[in-house]
Amino acid sequence: MAVLEKKEESFKSLKAFFTEVSSLTMFTGRFFKESVQPPFEFKELMRQAYLVGNKSFYLVAITGFIMGLVLTIQSAPTLAQFGAESWLPAMVGISIIREIGPVITALICAGKVGSGIGAELASMKVTEQIDAMEVSGTNPFKYLVVTRVVATTIMIPILVIFADVIALGGAYVGVNISGDVSFTLFFSQVINAIEFSDIFPAIIKTFFFGFIIGLVACYKGYNSNKGTEGVGAAANSAVVLASLLVFVIDMIAVQFTNLLVY
């Protein structure tokens, strides 16, 4: 009896998983269809881009600085054991540009921006504002979803570049806590170590990070259950799923880059 119940639960979980994947796929298809059809909501897109950047600016800056500082302080003793302290700026710079900067910034934005979008759209659904937009002749999908997904796709790469620069500043401070390295020497070593093959793949994958964060957040909010519990559930599930997909995209991007570049 217990075995049958477990099989039934497993079947329900599997069915729910494939239903969710199918629903998200159709939602993604509708996004691409709506995003190329006029009219275009440029004013709302600019407003959403400003909100995404403004909401995350200070958090990304503080996290980026701490990220560079801690990475440098933690790496310095290990490199010193091998007599390779001179490689510290190059190692920290490559680590930040390739992986740490893009992934950490994307996870921060998934938590900050993704939860905000999920909760906002879920609240609009609970209060029937989305239904009201449809009745008034406004396309809510184009106005609410397309603008937010495009805004996160554009703004996350910009925030990642900003975080990388701040993180390198934090790394410079970290190097000078235990040593005395000039600003010019530190950044010349970083620039000499970083190649185009480090920067280009890292920037490209951040567009996918931004897209998936916006898409998942809008999907969870737009399809939330009516009721106050649905608002919290939409925000939480948006963060969890978006964070998970960021890691999946990063893993695929790393493998793809290794095949093409190295």
Side-chain angles (χ1 to χ4, degrees), residues 41 138 150 156 257:
E41 303 287 352
T138 303
V150 174
I156 299 299
T257 304

Side-chain angles (χ1 to χ4, degrees), residues 143-159:
Y143 188 82
L144 299 175
V145 175
V146 173
T147 54
R148 282 162 175 77
V149 176
V150 174
T152 55
T153 305
I154 294 172
M155 291 307 297
I156 299 299
I158 295 174
L159 288 170

